[in-house]
């Protein structure tokens, strides 16, 4: 809850302390240079914050999704952008849940120690979008290797990661009983792959996110890099989406509180017509409304995380948390910008930077309309719409 202590206060205080070394000016400069916040990411990894969900047996802290979501929230509430690091939180989950003992022993300790980045996951394609079962990237088994051909788009942090999770079709769509079958996931060593069958093309975009288009041309992947059983990759990917959506919701909660903090501070300090503008109900009511929405979304975030950590079904809660939090943060962003007036458009206030960052989550990693479809079908029992 807003400005109140909770059971995670020690985590909050420690993350805020680390983030204080990377103030607004740091992220503003990175944005102007279109640069990746390497120093910030390294500091988080060295402090162990990004290994929160890795079990202690592999060198992580085993704190669970609830604590991990608090870490993401605090990064954004401090004015940072957790999108630079959140892949490290949830991408390793695919390996943890579905990988072999040999794969876990090989990769997880190094990931927990901050020696390996697993920041990237390649699923989306330019012609299929969210219709994942029709993806066209193929991985054909030849001897002891898989040969990959195809294309991916909007794949983030490839240039700042060591490993990538790749979803590709290993059995043609026409040969499977269910369209969700016949896809497999692989660990890709990016240092070996780039320039040897994998070409990375950056996509300039609205926010300072390193995101790319990928081209696979006869990329060879060792068979031991297959995660789980061949043909069950889509199921493995789906298992991790609840964690991803809950963490994104937490980031939006952090953004929402940041916008409310800035709007409230400015409304108290800005004097027009010999009175602080925050004294006007036309200014204070929208801020109060935005605050109420963020608080409500925050409750759903914690319920989704609680269910996930208790190994309960949390699909509906994770989707609703992401929807409510993204909506609340965007409304808070608009209120904050409006409260600042013309100064909200000035780079030095950082409102416009955070405004752009939080807008993304109306679209990614899942659009609002698909959340509506999920709730309609899986919660309300309405017929599938697509």
């Amino acid at each position: 809850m807003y400005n109140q202590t909770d059971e995670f206060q020690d985590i909050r205080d420690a993350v805020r302390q680390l983030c204080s070394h990377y103030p607004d000016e740091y992220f503003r400069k990175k944005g102007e240079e279109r640069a990746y916040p390497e120093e910030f990411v390294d500091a988080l990894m060295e402090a162990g914050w990004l290994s929160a969900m890795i079990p202690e047996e592999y060198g992580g802290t085993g704190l669970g999704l609830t604590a991990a979501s608090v870490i993401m929230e605090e990064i954004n509430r401090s004015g940072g952008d957790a999108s630079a690091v959140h892949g490290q939180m949830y991408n390793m989950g695919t390996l943890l849940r579905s990988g072999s003992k040999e794969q876990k022993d090989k990769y997880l300790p190094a990931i927990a120690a901050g020696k390996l980045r697993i920041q990237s996951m390649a699923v989306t394609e330019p012609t299929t979008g969210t219709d994942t079962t029709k993806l066209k990237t193929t991985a054909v088994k030849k001897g002891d290797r898989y040969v990959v051909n195809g294309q991916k788009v909007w794949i983030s942090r490839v240039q700042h990661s060591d490993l990538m999770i790749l979803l590709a079709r290993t059995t043609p769509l026409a040969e499977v009983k269910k369209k969700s079958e016949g896809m497999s996931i692989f660990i890709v060593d990016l240092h070996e792959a780039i320039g040897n069958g994998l070409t990375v093309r950056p996509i300039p975009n609205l926010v300072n996110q390193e995101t790319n288009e990928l081209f696979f041309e006869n990329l060879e992947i060792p068979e031991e890099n297959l995660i789980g059983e061949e043909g069950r990759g889509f199921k493995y990917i789906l298992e991790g989406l609840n964690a991803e959506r809950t963490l994104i919701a937490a980031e939006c909660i952090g953004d929402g509180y940041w916008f409310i903090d800035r709007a409230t501070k400015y409304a108290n300090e800005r004097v027009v017509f010999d009175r602080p503008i925050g004294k006007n109900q036309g200014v204070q009511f929208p801020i109060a409304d935005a605050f109420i929405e963020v608080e409500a979304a925050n409750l759903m975030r914690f319920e989704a995380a609680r269910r996930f950590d208790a190994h309960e079904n949390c699909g509906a809660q994770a989707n609703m948390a992401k929807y409510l939090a993204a909506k609340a943060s965007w409304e808070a962003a608009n209120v904050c910008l409006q409260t600042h007036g013309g100064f909200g458009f000035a780079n030095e206030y950082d409102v416009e930077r955070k405004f752009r960052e939080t807008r993304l989550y109306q679209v990614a990693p899942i659009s609002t309309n698909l959340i509506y479809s999920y709730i309609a079908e899986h919660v309300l029992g309405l017929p599938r719409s697509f």
Side-chain angles (χ1 to χ4, degrees):
M1 301 293 285
Y2 192 73
N3 289 336
Q4 293 183 15
T5 59
D6 61 16
E7 62 183 294
F8 302 103
Q9 197 59 45
D10 289 344
I11 293 176
R12 294 185 186 279
D13 292 341
V15 174
R16 289 176 191 175
Q17 174 61 29
L18 186 153
C19 289
S20 69
H21 297 289
Y22 302 90
D24 292 339
E25 294 80 5
Y26 172 82
F27 287 99
R28 193 185 312 144
K29 188 171 187 295
K30 291 296 181 183
E32 292 168 357
E33 298 172 348
R34 309 297 291 180
Y36 186 75
E38 289 279 4
E39 306 86 355
F40 177 65
V41 176
D42 285 343
L44 284 168
M45 293 186 74
E46 289 171 8
W49 293 119
L50 302 185
S51 60
M53 295 181 67
I54 297 178
E56 293 183 30
E57 64 183 292
Y58 296 111
T61 52
L63 292 176
L65 182 63
T66 306
S69 76
V70 170
I71 295 167
M72 296 292 99
E73 174 197 343
E74 289 300 331
I75 291 171
N76 278 24
R77 184 166 184 172
S78 297
D81 183 5
S83 70
V85 296
H86 59 202
Q88 188 81 358
M89 280 283 198
Y90 54 75
N91 285 340
M92 68 83 205
T94 303
L95 178 61
L96 178 63
R97 288 185 301 272
S98 307
S100 66
K101 183 181 185 304
E102 291 76 16
Q103 289 171 336
K104 295 176 186 178
D105 290 343
K106 178 178 179 179
Y107 295 113
L108 288 178
I111 294 170
K115 296 177 181 178
L116 278 180
R117 291 183 183 178
I118 185 166
Q119 289 267 49
S120 195
M121 178 179 291
V123 175
T124 306
E125 297 187 357
T127 59
T128 56
T130 52
D131 193 1
T132 307
T133 59
K134 294 181 181 177
L135 62 80
K136 296 179 173 59
T137 298
T138 60
V140 179
K141 185 76 179 296
K142 292 186 177 180
D144 61 352
R145 308 182 81 75
Y146 286 86
V147 180
V148 180
N149 285 280
Q151 186 178 352
K152 299 289 183 179
V153 73
W154 302 118
I155 311 305
S156 297
R157 300 169 297 276
V158 174
Q159 300 172 60
H160 296 88
S161 188
D162 301 298
L163 305 174
M164 179 177 72
I165 301 295
L166 169 67
L167 180 68
R169 185 162 282 286
T170 44
T171 303
L173 183 60
E175 298 179 14
V176 296
K177 295 180 180 179
K178 293 182 178 180
K179 62 182 181 179
S180 60
E181 298 175 347
M183 290 175 283
S184 304
I185 49 174
F186 303 88
I187 302 173
V188 178
D189 184 322
L190 289 167
H191 300 292
E192 293 182 357
I194 296 175
N196 295 299
L198 172 59
T199 301
V200 178
R201 181 182 297 168
I203 303 174
N205 57 83
L206 181 68
V207 293
N208 183 31
Q209 281 204 15
E210 185 252 291
T211 191
N212 311 273
E213 193 167 14
L214 308 184
F215 300 88
F216 300 90
E217 186 175 357
N218 295 324
L219 172 67
E220 294 187 0
I221 300 176
E223 63 179 352
E224 59 265 27
N225 284 26
L226 171 70
I227 298 178
E229 297 179 33
E230 183 179 299
R232 294 173 59 83
F234 188 65
K235 176 181 181 295
Y236 300 147
I237 291 291
L238 288 179
E239 289 173 351
L241 294 183
N242 290 331
E244 178 191 44
R245 289 167 191 177
T246 304
L247 289 173
I248 295 296
E251 292 174 37
C252 291
I253 297 297
D255 278 343
Y257 285 142
W258 186 92
F259 287 118
I260 290 164
D261 286 341
R262 293 299 175 100
T264 301
K265 183 175 185 292
Y266 188 81
N268 276 321
E269 294 176 350
R270 176 65 167 163
V271 175
V272 179
F273 299 117
D274 301 319
R275 55 192 276 157
I277 62 172
K279 194 172 185 178
N280 301 312
Q281 291 182 342
V283 173
Q284 63 178 233
F285 282 13
I287 299 175
D289 180 70
F291 168 69
I292 293 169
E293 296 290 334
V294 174
E295 287 280 276
N298 196 22
L299 295 175
M300 183 59 75
R301 175 273 293 256
F302 277 117
E303 175 60 9
R306 181 196 68 78
R307 284 174 171 261
F308 184 95
D309 288 338
H311 305 288
E312 298 175 7
N313 190 330
C314 63
Q317 289 74 22
N319 275 282
M320 290 190 290
K322 192 274 177 181
Y323 165 80
L324 290 170
K327 180 172 180 285
S329 70
W330 178 234
E331 291 175 353
N334 280 285
V335 167
C336 187
L337 186 65
Q338 192 71 20
T339 301
H340 281 76
F343 288 109
F345 293 84
N347 291 0
E348 65 180 291
Y349 282 77
D350 293 287
V351 175
E352 61 83 27
R353 171 176 64 85
K354 295 292 287 181
F355 183 90
R356 288 183 284 111
E357 290 171 1
T358 211
R359 179 60 179 84
L360 172 65
Y361 296 117
Q362 295 289 311
V363 176
I366 182 174
S367 72
T368 296
N369 284 344
L370 281 174
I371 292 178
Y372 287 152
S373 294
Y374 180 94
I375 297 300
E377 178 185 355
H378 296 282
V379 178
L380 302 178
L382 293 168
R384 186 178 178 88
S385 60
F386 59 89

